Amino acid sequence: MRAIANPSFLIHHHHQPAVASAVFRSIRHRLPLLFPPSIIKVSAHSTSTSSAELDNAPTGRSSSLASPPVQLDIVQQRIDVNPPKGTRDFPPEEMRLRSWLFQNFREVSQLFGFEEIDFPVLESEALFIRKAGEEIRDQLYCFEDRGNRRVALRPELTPSLARLVIQKGKSVSLPLKWFAIGQCWRYERMTRGRRREHYQWNMDIIGAPDVTAEAELISSIVTFFKRIGITASDVGFKVSSRKVLQEVLKRYSIPENLFGRVCIIIDKIEKIPIEDIKNELRSAQLSEEAVEELLQILSVKSLAELEEKLGSSVEALADLKRLFALAENYGYAEWIQFDASIVRGLAYYTGIVFEGFDREGKLRAICGGGRYDRLLSTFGGDDLPACGFGFGDAVIIELLKERGLLPQLNPNVQNIVCSLDQNLHGAASSVAAKLREKGQSVDLVLENKPLKWYVMMVLGGVFRRAARMNAERLVLVGSAEWQNGMVRVKILSSGEQYEIKVDQLE
Amino acid sequence: MRAIANPSFLIHHHHQPAVASAVFRSIRHRLPLLFPPSIIKVSAHSTSTSSAELDNAPTGRSSSLASPPVQLDIVQQRIDVNPPKGTRDFPPEEMRLRSWLFQNFREVSQLFGFEEIDFPVLESEALFIRKAGEEIRDQLYCFEDRGNRRVALRPELTPSLARLVIQKGKSVSLPLKWFAIGQCWRYERMTRGRRREHYQWNMDIIGAPDVTAEAELISSIVTFFKRIGITASDVGFKVSSRKVLQEVLKRYSIPENLFGRVCIIIDKIEKIPIEDIKNELRSAQLSEEAVEELLQILSVKSLAELEEKLGSSVEALADLKRLFALAENYGYAEWIQFDASIVRGLAYYTGIVFEGFDREGKLRAICGGGRYDRLLSTFGGDDLPACGFGFGDAVIIELLKERGLLPQLNPNVQNIVCSLDQNLHGAASSVAAKLREKGQSVDLVLENKPLKWYVMMVLGGVFRRAARMNAERLVLVGSAEWQNGMVRVKILSSGEQYEIKVDQLE
């Protein structure tokens, strides 16, 4: 290894980007074209030939004498370069953020001993049809496929989970602790910047009847928040139990089969005027007295007050008290609060329900979940105690932006390898291969131009690329050094430069 | 820390699984039910209420006097517990394999300095419609959405990539080196166990006109194969260039706009009888002489022979020679061979094409790719030199199975934490929280039964779980130790047991 005193050909990468950029642009248009452009511009009257037609073509020579319409390879069209309405592309900078988020979801899930699962993004429509006026039902992204089957892009992951649990039957030992990160779709009107797809992190526990399961789920979300820099002063969880409502319905002899529908109505309590809520409850056969009592109960914000109203013996109260006691043990008591108005918008919840919210009140719910002990039987399976949550990828990113907590995620590569002579690209390839074999990441420069272009264009571009990719070092393959089996190395953080034998590169 | 000489309550986890299992099954059916089962069995005549109907409900009290049909929460139905035809669930064991595969795709891509991207799985149908008789076109999984837009589940990733590159325009600096791992869909007839969805790893280089780019792509696939234990005696790459065909077409004055269609026909050469290939070529206006010459050329298996037939000056030959020379530099020469019959089934390739195959000839192509310098202009953008490959998740898994190379992937967790008394679950939760704060993964036992059940059921179950999850140690919270701030630890590999202060657990 030998330091280079004054390597005149090494220009500093903070210089000349504008010149290099201009040259780069100009060469784009001098690339060899396989066809002259005129050939691929064709009229809209072109006809296609399906493979079926081809298969049925006559087998004799006469077919080539026939005069079929001109066949065209490629139809030029101006496509919409944006992704379909309500969907997203993930160019590298967006993908880094998504990968960072998913990695945190995964690591937290694994910290809690959960195993990852997934399901098809396209499911039978029947899986999602529940007759309880749910918003999710009205927004189903559904189709008829080529085999005339009704299918839907999944709006949530829980029904697929239930399907898989029933399918697995007794072959799995309980409790199951499973997590998934999957894309979900809702055909919403495109208001307030809401998209039609999002990714959702789910954690579910199947086979644990006790509120210890809900406590564990909330703990995992708190762990996730802490990990990404969100504190109890940023977010909290509103917690309640659907058994509170159930108790009220029972006292007014309201049929239990109205339960899901009443929950769906009440879930809208912060979104539509209270008079509309009342009317919906009335039209669901609740008496005026029941409606008033229900709304009274929903305004309760403490367990003491709830106990005062419902008495100390109700099941809902015991569950909630245990959950709040466990929160003390876990150390997240300051994150949760009782709020009877929380019921969640899915028909299938049966017990504890919870919702993560931002304390400034600017954003929609960050996540939500609860116990759904009766879901499996709605699909014809044997019920199992179950609880879980869904945590979307949209609101959390908005929150991180608001709080200035978005991580700085840069691309990075350890080495940029570049030949200084067009005849040395093969040598540079072998250097890249050797480094990669040692586990070193390498961005190999693929431009291959004569040396006279080098200083102005390639190396200028290479330095820009090195800066953008946060490369650690530049490995240059030049003919003088290469004859001695050497390459030149420039450490980009310090500017240190030296020559080294290829085999000694680590 | 103090060793326990003979802790009689600690039973070895290789014993009693059958008893424990039986007990576990029986408790499933003794779980408290929120509703008696009869309540949720409802008839198929139930009616639903959409939110639109609810919104339009009269606002006066009279509405509750009306007699609407009985509203039902939940419709019991026997759903098909299998995923839709041609799709897959990923229960934990399948998911571990998928994650392992994807992790290898990612790590290799990053070793080569590529950045990850993604696109919507649902795209406009127009993006995939190319009029060249491609199989992929006939198998498009397409729908009309609720807004009467023609959409399709993407059959491949390259058109979305092209769309994104056009959209980004001059805001990105070339060359782009991007990779993606995404689910793709084809509505195929369900023969030979082929599925309708698969995941595909893509790597693409945009803006590099030289064959150095193709050499780099093949090197990355070879690196991937080596990494997962596949050698050059298991698989190889057949390489050719579409410029070979182009040369032949030129010599017979065949219009260049027939090029894509001829490629699609020739791609079927190993799938359908040669007479059918000939007939298809004839019906594509090729003369008998041209057909014969084409088939002659396609049978060529060496560059020397190709040079003999076409002369040394053709562009195709120069590219191929350079690629084979670079393969020597990279060190993967033994993996690749020239084969003029390789053209690939996508219309848009323009230069080098390649295909990974298993040397036993049992499986379909493992991966395939090539140069597509003219794709962007078919969407109305400015062309840029481009090449890439697709590598599916199905054939490679079959190959690994055949070769006995499937990895052993087990679930694992560092700690199982369990309370020995129902009053100590809160204590166990705090122990779990402390361990997780230190980055230790913890599977917290959520069963909460009286101590008399403990030995037979819970601990039996816990040991089975510990074995299944490959736990490193068991942390037991019992009342005698807990009074002193201690827990009992059992190291599961050695059987070593000791007591330790909670704060000293690392």
Side-chain angles (χ1 to χ4, degrees):
Chain A
M1 198 194 299
R2 166 162 78 79
I4 300 166
N6 184 18
S8 61
F9 66 91
L10 287 175
I11 47 176
H12 193 275
H13 60 281
H14 290 145
H15 298 133
Q16 310 206 3
V19 173
S21 168
V23 176
F24 258 90
R25 295 297 164 211
S26 72
I27 59 161
R28 278 203 208 167
H29 301 287
R30 285 190 277 107
L31 301 169
L33 298 176
L34 193 59
F35 302 122
S38 61
I39 286 184
I40 59 102
K41 293 200 179 177
V42 298
S43 83
H45 301 292
S46 62
T47 56
S48 67
T49 303
S50 75
S51 59
E53 285 174 63
L54 291 172
D55 292 345
N56 295 332
T59 50
R61 212 190 145 205
S62 60
S63 68
S64 67
L65 296 173
S67 191
V70 178
Q71 300 297 330
L72 300 162
D73 302 319
I74 291 170
V75 175
Q76 187 173 41
Q77 50 182 340
R78 164 63 63 176
I79 55 144
D80 184 352
V81 297
N82 297 304
K85 204 171 171 182
T87 70
R88 289 170 289 177
D89 286 321
F90 292 90
E93 61 279 11
E94 298 296 328
M95 194 66 192
R96 282 196 294 277
L97 185 59
R98 171 176 137 185
S99 299
W100 169 84
L101 191 67
F102 288 10
Q103 192 56 27
N104 277 291
F105 289 156
R106 273 197 184 95
E107 286 173 8
V108 168
S109 303
Q110 286 158 358
L111 207 56
F112 280 72
F114 282 59
E115 296 179 82
E116 190 167 2
I117 52 167
D118 197 11
F119 324 95
V121 70
L122 192 75
E123 287 269 15
S124 294
E125 185 186 42
L127 199 59
F128 305 110
I129 295 186
R130 296 182 296 266
K131 311 222 165 181
E134 291 171 307
E135 193 178 38
I136 207 169
R137 168 73 188 90
D138 298 325
Q139 297 174 342
L140 203 57
Y141 224 123
C142 49
F143 307 101
E144 190 155 281
D145 79 6
R146 289 180 170 210
N148 300 321
R149 284 176 213 89
R150 294 295 307 171
V151 292
L153 291 170
R154 61 187 177 194
E156 52 159 344
L157 303 174
T158 313
S160 300
L161 171 73
R163 181 179 58 62
L164 182 59
V165 169
I166 297 170
Q167 180 203 118
K168 289 281 171 189
K170 297 201 191 301
S171 72
V172 289
S173 48
L174 301 179
L176 300 171
K177 296 181 183 178
W178 282 352
F179 79 97
I181 303 167
Q183 198 172 25
C184 299
W185 296 74
R186 295 191 185 190
Y187 197 85
E188 293 188 273
R189 282 201 192 80
M190 295 294 299
T191 53
R192 294 171 300 154
R194 293 192 77 168
R195 288 190 309 265
R196 288 178 175 162
E197 53 77 21
H198 71 153
Y199 283 87
Q200 203 177 86
W201 171 38
N202 276 210
M203 288 177 76
D204 292 271
I205 301 174
I206 311 288
D210 197 78
V211 74
T212 53
E214 287 94 319
E216 182 82 343
L217 292 176
I218 296 174
S219 177
S220 65
I221 306 177
V222 169
T223 301
F224 170 79
F225 279 138
K226 286 182 178 172
R227 199 182 178 88
I228 61 169
I230 302 270
T231 67
S233 61
D234 298 311
V235 304
F237 292 87
K238 293 176 183 169
V239 181
S240 184
S241 170
R242 285 204 174 170
K243 291 177 187 169
V244 171
L245 290 186
Q246 203 195 353
E247 183 65 26
V248 177
L249 297 186
K250 200 172 77 187
R251 291 182 184 192
Y252 288 86
S253 305
I254 294 156
E256 296 211 44
N257 57 24
L258 277 179
F259 182 63
R261 182 170 166 203
V262 169
C263 290
I264 300 302
I265 296 169
I266 289 168
D267 182 54
K268 293 183 259 183
I269 207 158
E270 292 194 338
K271 297 171 198 158
I272 64 174
I274 194 70
E275 264 317 306
D276 294 353
I277 296 285
K278 286 184 182 177
N279 286 330
E280 290 196 24
L281 290 172
R282 285 172 196 134
S283 62
Q285 295 183 287
L286 268 64
S287 70
E288 200 60 26
E289 205 185 346
V291 169
E292 289 306 323
E293 168 77 1
L294 205 52
L295 293 178
Q296 277 269 318
I297 287 286
L298 292 177
S299 69
V300 171
K301 306 283 181 204
S302 84
L303 287 181
E305 198 186 339
L306 187 71
E307 186 163 356
E308 219 170 82
K309 287 201 190 292
L310 294 184
S312 60
S313 63
V314 296
E315 205 181 343
L317 206 63
D319 280 359
L320 286 162
K321 279 182 172 174
R322 262 178 59 65
L323 181 62
F324 279 82
L326 286 169
E328 296 279 354
N329 293 119
Y330 277 101
Y332 64 77
E334 61 173 338
W335 295 70
I336 67 170
Q337 63 196 58
F338 174 72
D339 186 331
S341 71
I342 295 302
V343 294
R344 303 296 299 156
L346 295 165
Y348 50 66
Y349 289 125
T350 55
I352 296 283
V353 279
F354 57 88
E355 185 172 297
F357 68 100
D358 78 302
R359 293 199 190 271
E360 288 190 4
K362 290 184 185 170
L363 306 171
R364 284 171 290 133
I366 302 167
C367 59
R371 179 162 288 280
Y372 54 94
D373 287 349
R374 308 289 315 163
L375 180 59
L376 269 56
S377 64
T378 67
F379 295 136
D382 292 333
D383 273 324
L384 284 173
C387 58
F389 68 81
F391 190 118
D393 70 338
V395 182
I396 186 64
I397 294 296
E398 287 176 58
L399 180 66
L400 288 170
K401 274 183 198 157
E402 287 253 339
R403 297 290 188 280
L405 290 169
L406 272 188
Q408 270 288 340
L409 300 166
N410 297 311
N412 65 77
V413 72
Q414 290 166 298
N415 305 275
I416 298 217
V417 173
C418 182
S419 65
L420 298 181
D421 184 307
Q422 64 180 336
N423 297 318
L424 286 174
H425 185 80
S429 304
S430 70
V431 171
K434 282 199 176 74
L435 281 166
R436 287 165 181 156
E437 250 168 53
K438 292 176 181 172
Q440 288 267 325
S441 59
V442 176
D443 183 0
L444 175 63
V445 175
L446 300 171
E447 287 83 353
N448 191 28
K449 297 287 160 190
L451 186 57
K452 58 178 178 177
W453 285 94
Y454 169 72
V455 173
M456 198 163 80
M457 187 182 70
V458 178
L459 198 55
V462 169
F463 275 123
R464 274 194 306 136
R465 186 163 180 96
R468 199 184 73 75
M469 294 293 287
N470 297 288
E472 292 166 20
R473 61 183 177 182
L474 192 57
V475 179
L476 297 169
V477 184
S479 51
E481 301 81 14
W482 187 248
Q483 282 169 8
N484 303 318
M486 312 278 279
V487 291
R488 299 189 186 201
V489 171
K490 174 170 179 162
I491 306 297
L492 289 158
S493 56
S494 64
E496 188 196 352
Q497 296 169 26
Y498 52 84
E499 287 186 13
I500 187 172
K501 285 263 179 205
V502 174
D503 296 336
Q504 287 166 357
L505 266 179
E506 291 296 333
Chain B
M1 198 195 302
R2 166 162 77 82
I4 301 166
N6 183 17
S8 60
F9 68 87
L10 287 176
I11 47 177
H12 192 275
H13 61 280
H14 289 145
H15 298 132
Q16 311 204 3
V19 173
S21 169
V23 176
F24 259 89
R25 296 296 165 212
S26 72
I27 58 160
R28 279 204 209 166
H29 302 287
R30 287 191 276 106
L31 301 169
L33 298 177
L34 192 59
F35 302 120
S38 60
I39 286 183
I40 58 102
K41 293 198 181 177
V42 298
S43 84
H45 302 292
S46 61
T47 57
S48 68
T49 302
S50 75
S51 60
E53 287 173 62
L54 291 172
D55 291 345
N56 295 332
T59 50
R61 212 189 145 205
S62 59
S63 68
S64 66
L65 296 174
S67 192
V70 178
Q71 301 296 333
L72 299 161
D73 302 319
I74 292 170
V75 176
Q76 188 172 40
Q77 50 182 341
R78 163 63 64 177
I79 55 144
D80 184 351
V81 296
N82 296 305
K85 204 169 171 182
T87 71
R88 290 170 288 176
D89 286 322
F90 292 89
E93 61 279 12
E94 298 296 329
M95 194 66 194
R96 282 194 294 277
L97 185 59
R98 172 177 136 184
S99 298
W100 169 84
L101 191 67
F102 288 10
Q103 190 57 29
N104 278 289
F105 289 156
R106 274 198 184 96
E107 285 173 8
V108 168
S109 303
Q110 286 158 358
L111 208 55
F112 280 71
F114 283 60
E115 297 179 82
E116 189 166 3
I117 52 166
D118 197 9
F119 324 96
V121 70
L122 193 74
E123 286 269 17
S124 294
E125 185 186 43
L127 198 59
F128 305 111
I129 295 186
R130 294 182 296 266
K131 311 220 164 182
E134 291 171 306
E135 193 179 36
I136 206 169
R137 168 72 187 89
D138 298 326
Q139 297 173 342
L140 202 57
Y141 224 124
C142 49
F143 307 100
E144 189 155 281
D145 79 5
R146 288 179 171 210
N148 300 321
R149 284 176 213 90
R150 294 296 307 171
V151 291
L153 290 169
R154 61 186 177 195
E156 52 160 343
L157 304 175
T158 312
S160 301
L161 172 73
R163 180 179 59 62
L164 182 59
V165 169
I166 297 170
Q167 181 203 117
K168 289 281 172 187
K170 298 200 190 301
S171 71
V172 291
S173 47
L174 301 179
L176 299 171
K177 296 182 182 178
W178 282 352
F179 79 98
I181 303 167
Q183 197 172 25
C184 299
W185 295 75
R186 295 190 187 193
Y187 198 86
E188 292 188 276
R189 280 199 193 79
M190 295 294 299
T191 54
R192 296 171 298 155
R194 292 193 77 169
R195 287 189 310 264
R196 289 180 175 161
E197 52 77 20
H198 72 153
Y199 282 87
Q200 204 177 86
W201 171 38
N202 276 213
M203 287 176 76
D204 292 89
I205 301 175
I206 311 289
D210 198 78
V211 74
T212 52
E214 288 94 319
E216 181 82 343
L217 292 176
I218 296 175
S219 176
S220 65
I221 307 177
V222 169
T223 302
F224 170 78
F225 280 137
K226 286 182 176 171
R227 196 182 178 90
I228 62 168
I230 303 271
T231 69
S233 61
D234 298 311
V235 304
F237 293 86
K238 292 176 184 167
V239 181
S240 185
S241 170
R242 285 205 173 168
K243 291 177 186 167
V244 172
L245 290 186
Q246 204 197 352
E247 183 65 27
V248 177
L249 296 188
K250 200 171 76 186
R251 290 180 186 196
Y252 287 87
S253 304
I254 293 156
E256 296 209 45
N257 57 26
L258 278 178
F259 183 62
R261 182 169 167 203
V262 169
C263 290
I264 301 301
I265 297 170
I266 289 169
D267 182 54
K268 293 184 259 183
I269 207 158
E270 291 193 337
K271 297 171 198 158
I272 65 174
I274 195 71
E275 266 316 309
D276 294 353
I277 296 285
K278 285 183 184 176
N279 287 330
E280 290 196 23
L281 289 172
R282 285 173 195 130
S283 63
Q285 296 182 285
L286 266 65
S287 68
E288 201 59 28
E289 206 186 345
V291 169
E292 289 307 323
E293 169 77 0
L294 206 52
L295 293 178
Q296 278 267 320
I297 287 285
L298 292 177
S299 68
V300 172
K301 306 283 182 205
S302 83
L303 287 181
E305 198 186 339
L306 187 70
E307 186 162 357
E308 219 170 82
K309 285 200 191 291
L310 293 184
S312 61
S313 64
V314 297
E315 204 182 344
L317 206 63
D319 281 357
L320 286 162
K321 280 182 171 173
R322 263 178 59 66
L323 181 62
F324 279 82
L326 286 169
E328 296 280 355
N329 293 119
Y330 277 102
Y332 63 78
E334 62 174 337
W335 294 71
I336 67 170
Q337 63 196 59
F338 174 72
D339 187 330
S341 71
I342 294 302
V343 293
R344 302 296 301 155
L346 295 167
Y348 50 66
Y349 290 125
T350 54
I352 296 285
V353 280
F354 57 89
E355 184 172 298
F357 69 100
D358 78 302
R359 294 199 190 270
E360 288 190 3
K362 290 184 184 170
L363 306 171
R364 283 170 292 133
I366 303 167
C367 58
R371 179 163 288 280
Y372 53 94
D373 287 349
R374 307 288 316 163
L375 180 58
L376 268 56
S377 63
T378 67
F379 294 136
D382 291 334
D383 273 325
L384 286 173
C387 58
F389 68 81
F391 190 119
D393 69 338
V395 182
I396 185 65
I397 294 296
E398 287 177 57
L399 179 67
L400 289 169
K401 274 184 195 154
E402 288 254 337
R403 298 289 187 283
L405 288 170
L406 271 187
Q408 271 286 343
L409 301 166
N410 297 310
N412 66 76
V413 72
Q414 290 167 298
N415 305 275
I416 299 219
V417 172
C418 182
S419 64
L420 298 179
D421 184 306
Q422 64 180 337
N423 297 319
L424 287 175
H425 184 81
S429 303
S430 71
V431 171
K434 282 198 175 76
L435 281 166
R436 287 165 182 157
E437 250 168 53
K438 291 176 181 172
Q440 289 266 324
S441 60
V442 175
D443 184 0
L444 175 63
V445 175
L446 301 171
E447 288 82 356
N448 190 27
K449 298 284 160 194
L451 187 55
K452 60 178 177 176
W453 286 95
Y454 169 72
V455 174
M456 197 163 81
M457 187 181 72
V458 179
L459 197 56
V462 170
F463 275 123
R464 274 193 307 134
R465 187 163 180 95
R468 199 184 74 74
M469 294 293 288
N470 298 288
E472 291 166 21
R473 61 183 176 181
L474 191 59
V475 178
L476 297 168
V477 183
S479 52
E481 300 81 12
W482 188 249
Q483 281 168 7
N484 303 318
M486 313 277 278
V487 291
R488 299 188 186 202
V489 172
K490 176 169 178 163
I491 306 296
L492 289 157
S493 57
S494 64
E496 187 197 350
Q497 295 169 26
Y498 52 83
E499 288 186 12
I500 187 172
K501 285 263 179 202
V502 174
D503 296 335
Q504 286 165 359
L505 267 177
E506 290 297 334

